[in-house]
């Protein structure tokens, strides 16, 4: 079972790239973030033509998450997180796919720091943590997948000193990420690449991709029920170099 995550950064504007990658990489399940489209504008037919069923949670111009599957109909279990009834952002969707509970998330960026956007980011992580605790109680294999907008360690940025005041690297967010892991979750990519700098995002500015000036923002957190099935992980870095690409590259894991 191959599961991927991809911040597509505008699904309708990059649907050709998405379909091309789906055909080349052949993932079984895909979590998408930053759809930037309303629900009625989601390109469902193009994805069906490519062999993927989908569920999605869109929002005009911003955010948005989706889960794609080659296994047929997807059993949606929830959208949005508890804890803030006034939150209108489309940042979380969850489903039961081929025996695995998959939560697809787009964690807030939080910049500029300090400020209300960073405060919202921290509150959102705490809401995710509370939900992650509930998921652990069911005894099912679970993966929390997506763009976390957090660089957990210095290995996850090409230049740590540049990001000391950036919400992606602030110690407050990283501390909450570590607290989430301590609940029984494993960062799958770092688990398989414990000492290697691997990146999933390259800015559009200053030839970041060409210089490999990257960041690791896209993560798979697996609970203890799923971790023993982890066999491989990788980043389809070359996709970032395609014309009109997202600034993220697809990331994937393989499960037995």
């Amino acid at each position: 079972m191959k599961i991927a995550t991809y911040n597509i950064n505008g699904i309708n504007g990059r649907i050709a790239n998405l379909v091309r990658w789906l055909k080349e990489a052949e993932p079984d399940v895909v979590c998408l973030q930053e759809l930037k489209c309303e629900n009625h504008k989601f390109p469902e037919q193009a994805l069906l033509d490519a062999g993927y069923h989908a569920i999605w949670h869109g929002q005009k111009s911003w955010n948005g998450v989706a889960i794609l599957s080659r296994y047929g109909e997807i059993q949606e279990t929830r959208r949005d997180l508890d804890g803030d009834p006034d939150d209108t952002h489309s940042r979380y969707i969850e489903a039961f796919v081929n025996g695995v509970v998959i939560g697809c998330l787009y964690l807030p960026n939080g910049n500029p720091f300090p400020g209300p956007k960073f405060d919202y980011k921290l509150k959102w992580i705490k809401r995710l943590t509370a939900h992650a605790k509930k998921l652990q109680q069911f005894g099912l294999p679970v993966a929390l997948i997506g763009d976390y907008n957090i660089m957990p360690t210095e290995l996850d940025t090409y230049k740590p000193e540049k990001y000391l005041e950036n919400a992606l690297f602030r110690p407050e967010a990283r501390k909450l990420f570590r607290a989430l892991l301590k609940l029984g979750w494993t960062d799958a990519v770092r688990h398989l690449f414990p000492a290697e700098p691997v990146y999933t995002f390259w800015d559009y500015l200053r030839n970041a991709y060409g210089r490999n000036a990257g960041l690791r923002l896209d993560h798979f957190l697996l609970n203890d029920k799923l971790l023993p099935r982890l066999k491989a992980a990788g980043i389809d870095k070359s996709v970032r170099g395609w014309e009109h690409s997202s600034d993220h590259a697809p990331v994937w894991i393989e499960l037995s």
Side-chain angles (χ1 to χ4, degrees):
M1 183 178 182
K2 184 177 183 180
I3 307 176
T5 183
Y6 191 11
N7 180 319
I8 193 64
N9 193 14
I11 190 168
N12 285 310
R14 306 188 203 280
I15 188 63
N17 277 9
L18 176 59
V19 169
R20 174 186 170 186
W21 169 72
L22 290 172
K23 290 180 178 179
E24 291 185 6
E26 298 186 323
D28 299 303
V29 179
V30 183
C31 293
L32 298 175
Q33 304 85 39
E34 212 168 350
L35 304 179
K36 294 183 177 178
C37 77
E38 296 175 276
N39 283 328
H40 69 280
K41 294 182 178 179
F42 185 84
E44 180 180 19
Q45 189 59 53
L47 293 169
L48 283 171
D49 292 344
Y52 289 85
H53 290 266
I55 59 171
W56 62 92
H57 184 20
Q59 181 180 342
K60 185 177 181 179
S61 302
W62 306 102
N63 306 320
V65 285
I67 300 174
L68 316 183
S69 172
R70 295 203 297 179
Y71 294 115
E73 296 296 332
I74 305 169
Q75 183 181 344
E76 182 177 324
T77 54
R78 74 152 46 222
R79 54 181 59 202
D80 296 324
L81 295 172
D82 296 333
D84 186 355
D86 297 323
D87 188 357
T88 59
H89 290 194
S90 300
R91 294 187 176 275
Y92 187 85
I93 192 167
E94 183 182 288
F96 194 62
V97 184
N98 196 35
V100 179
V101 178
I102 294 177
C104 173
L105 62 99
Y106 179 42
L107 202 143
N109 179 289
N111 281 305
F113 167 84
K117 290 185 177 181
F118 186 69
D119 296 339
Y120 169 65
K121 175 175 189 161
L122 298 184
K123 291 177 182 177
W124 205 95
I125 301 171
K126 292 175 182 177
R127 290 165 60 199
L128 176 65
T129 302
H131 183 60
K133 289 180 180 178
K134 294 178 182 178
L135 289 173
Q136 293 282 45
Q137 297 171 3
F138 297 124
L140 295 170
V142 185
L144 294 174
I145 302 167
D147 180 356
Y148 279 73
N149 270 316
I150 296 173
M151 297 177 279
T153 72
E154 292 192 354
L155 272 180
D156 301 314
T157 167
Y158 76 102
K159 186 178 288 187
E161 63 274 14
K162 178 181 177 180
Y163 290 91
L164 295 178
E165 298 303 313
N166 191 299
L168 305 177
F169 198 53
R170 284 295 305 171
E172 299 91 337
R174 294 164 63 195
K175 181 179 179 181
L176 289 175
F177 186 85
R178 291 194 299 271
L180 176 57
L181 295 181
K182 288 179 180 178
L183 295 176
W185 301 88
T186 298
D187 179 346
V189 173
R190 185 55 66 208
H191 181 73
L192 293 180
F193 302 94
E196 181 179 343
V198 290
Y199 305 134
T200 67
F201 168 93
W202 295 262
D203 202 313
Y204 290 125
L205 303 174
R206 297 178 294 277
N207 190 33
Y209 176 69
R211 296 186 294 116
N212 198 31
L215 314 174
R216 189 174 74 99
L217 303 176
D218 306 272
H219 310 311
F220 293 78
L221 299 193
L222 311 184
N223 72 349
D224 291 344
K225 294 288 185 179
L226 191 57
L227 182 62
R229 293 174 55 186
L230 178 64
K231 298 301 180 185
I235 298 155
D236 291 341
K237 181 181 176 181
S238 63
V239 176
R240 174 61 181 84
W242 291 357
E243 185 177 357
H244 198 53
S245 172
S246 169
D247 43 11
H248 292 250
V251 189
W252 52 266
I253 62 171
E254 287 187 359
L255 304 174
S256 60

